[in-house]
Amino acid sequence: MSGSAVSSGPLAPAARLRGPLALGGGRLLLGLLLPLLLAAGWEVAVDAGLAQGRLMPPPSRIGATLWGLAVSGDLQIHVEATLLRVAFGFAFGAGAGILVGTLTATLAPLRWLLDPTLQALRAVPSLAWVPLFILWFGILETPKVALIAVGVFFPVYVGVAGAIASVDRKLVEVGRIFRLSKLALARRILLPAVLPATLVALRTGLGLGFLFVVAAELMGASEGLGYLLVDGQQFSKPEQILAAIIAFAVVGKLADALLVALTSPLVRWQDTTRETL
């Protein structure tokens, strides 16, 4: 059997995949290097008596707290509660942001009417909405989802409106020269032009959704990672606070990676060096 026949056998695809998989594994290990070094350094410092671990517990205590929460099932309950709130808030906020951003960017009178008010509301701190939403919706799930949706809405709105406003006029003129209908113009020229910036806006909105969920879970929540933070502060349990922070970091990163994985095929046509930052 010739060498060319062997190379075209069933092992060839696996060999071609080995390089990207190894590269992905190397990136993952490199990304974990810094937090692991910091954790190991702090553990050694506390064990050697060079630092106190009362207010800043060593990683071993934080890991034991996370393990205890996981074994008892509490961690899963809190993570699921937070993810469910973020998912609903992100869906409502992102949907509204895309819709309003598209309308204000394409209709000048609507932009003159709505944009000044929306830009002013964008500067309102997240905690300022809490008493108003409690007054309007009570202390159940509705105000929490509404607060997260507000946090997601503004970056998506600004990103979508800015992306549409920055579309090169020459691209639109080319479409008109080829006598494309408005639907074809939107599908073949405008949508590809605004899609990359829209996906970045969605990632930004998702990140703010996780920021706003902490404020949301201050509104009478009995479950969620934000509740773990408040409970740890009230009962002076710094290891629980740090465990909740680590859980937020891991869950947020995984959610962002999932969003990138789901949206990457939409911009695969781009000839760029796009990386999953």
Side-chain angles (χ1 to χ4, degrees), residues 246-269:
I246 292 173
F248 260 123
V250 173
V251 171
K253 174 57 181 173
L254 291 177
D256 179 73
L258 178 61
L259 180 62
V260 170
L262 292 175
T263 57
S264 289
L266 299 177
V267 289
R268 191 171 290 167
W269 51 267

Side-chain angles (χ1 to χ4, degrees), residues 126-209:
S126 59
L127 289 177
W129 297 102
V130 172
L132 184 62
F133 284 174
I134 291 178
L135 185 63
W136 284 353
F137 306 117
I139 60 172
L140 298 178
E141 291 302 309
T142 302
K144 300 175 181 61
V145 173
L147 183 62
I148 297 168
V150 167
V152 174
F153 169 81
F154 288 108
V156 175
Y157 162 74
V158 172
V160 171
I164 295 175
S166 62
V167 173
D168 193 339
R169 189 187 301 272
K170 297 183 181 64
L171 294 176
V172 180
E173 291 175 353
V174 168
R176 289 172 177 168
I177 290 173
F178 283 95
R179 298 181 179 179
L180 295 178
S181 65
K182 289 186 177 180
L183 182 60
L185 185 68
R187 181 175 59 87
R188 301 180 62 180
I189 293 180
L190 295 180
L191 183 60
V194 305
L195 196 55
T198 300
L199 298 183
V200 173
L202 288 175
R203 291 183 66 187
T204 305
L206 180 62
L208 281 178

Side-chain angles (χ1 to χ4, degrees), residues 19-200:
L21 288 176
L23 180 60
R27 289 176 179 173
L28 178 61
L29 291 176
L30 189 61
L32 291 173
L33 182 61
L34 179 59
L36 289 177
L37 287 176
L38 292 175
W42 186 248
E43 185 75 33
V44 170
V46 173
D47 289 343
L50 301 176
Q52 293 184 350
R54 186 174 64 86
L55 295 179
M56 182 66 177
S60 58
R61 283 176 54 192
I62 300 172
T65 300
L66 277 171
W67 178 254
L69 289 170
V71 169
S72 66
D74 290 341
L75 183 61
Q76 180 180 352
I77 293 173
H78 293 305
V79 168
E80 287 178 353
T82 294
L83 281 178
L84 196 60
R85 290 165 183 149
V86 172
F88 279 110
F90 179 76
F92 291 129
I98 292 173
L99 177 62
V100 179
T102 302
L103 291 176
T104 55
T106 54
L107 301 175
L110 197 60
R111 179 169 64 253
W112 301 334
L113 176 67
L114 294 180
D115 189 67
T117 302
L118 292 176
Q119 294 296 343
L121 292 175
R122 188 164 67 94
V124 176
S126 59
L127 289 177
W129 297 102
V130 172
L132 184 62
F133 284 174
I134 291 178
L135 185 63
W136 284 353
F137 306 117
I139 60 172
L140 298 178
E141 291 302 309
T142 302
K144 300 175 181 61
V145 173
L147 183 62
I148 297 168
V150 167
V152 174
F153 169 81
F154 288 108
V156 175
Y157 162 74
V158 172
V160 171
I164 295 175
S166 62
V167 173
D168 193 339
R169 189 187 301 272
K170 297 183 181 64
L171 294 176
V172 180
E173 291 175 353
V174 168
R176 289 172 177 168
I177 290 173
F178 283 95
R179 298 181 179 179
L180 295 178
S181 65
K182 289 186 177 180
L183 182 60
L185 185 68
R187 181 175 59 87
R188 301 180 62 180
I189 293 180
L190 295 180
L191 183 60
V194 305
L195 196 55
T198 300
L199 298 183
V200 173

